[in-house]
Amino acid sequence: QVQFVESGGGLVQPGGSLRLSCAASGSRFNTNDMGWYRQAPGMQREMVALISSGGGSTTYVDSVKGRFTISRDNAKNTMYLQMNSLKPEDTAVYYCNMRVLSWNSRWGQGTQVTVSS
């Protein structure tokens, strides 16, 4: 039922910034806690940031604290990830999804973020 379309990725130099967007459809977006996830080549997918359904509570993996900001606009069924002070180790495909996942959770195509000089 739920579909996600990620956008905003690209190639950026270390220290640069990007803002990712996640457009959700086919679900009651405003009732779900959401998250951004990323998967680097050869690595497991990891949670990057979480946000509560109303946007009032956020959680970040230690490696991005102070650099990334997750937000959402429920009126637009859209979630964002502002990424500042990017590092090469942030290079990954970034995905959005619900916080609570299951074996049959649907994933979008993701958006590639490459941080390189």
Side-chain angles (χ1 to χ4, degrees):
Q1 295 289 103
V2 182
Q3 295 186 141
F4 304 105
V5 178
E6 300 92 345
S7 62
L11 175 64
V12 64
Q13 295 185 50
S17 297
L18 287 172
R19 190 180 77 151
L20 307 184
S21 296
C22 168
S25 63
S27 71
R28 298 177 66 87
F29 179 78
N30 64 351
T31 69
N32 292 120
D33 295 349
M34 297 288 295
W36 282 97
Y37 306 81
R38 68 185 180 187
Q39 187 168 27
M43 303 292 288
Q44 298 291 321
R45 182 157 48 209
E46 68 171 344
M47 181 276 294
V48 177
L50 301 173
I51 187 167
S52 59
S53 60
S57 180
T58 59
T59 303
Y60 302 89
V61 67
D62 285 346
S63 60
V64 310
K65 287 181 179 177
R67 300 188 298 119
F68 290 12
T69 303
I70 187 172
S71 62
R72 65 194 295 166
D73 186 340
N74 286 343
K76 297 181 178 179
N77 282 8
T78 303
M79 184 173 64
Y80 307 95
L81 185 67
Q82 178 66 48
M83 306 186 296
N84 299 326
S85 302
L86 283 162
K87 303 175 179 179
E89 51 263 45
D90 295 318
T91 296
V93 178
Y94 284 70
Y95 303 88
C96 62
N97 215 318
M98 296 181 289
R99 180 184 66 86
V100 178
L101 301 171
S102 64
W103 69 271
N104 61 345
S105 293
R106 298 178 63 183
W107 297 86
Q109 81 284 354
T111 185
Q112 176 72 51
V113 172
T114 302
V115 185
S116 176
S117 59

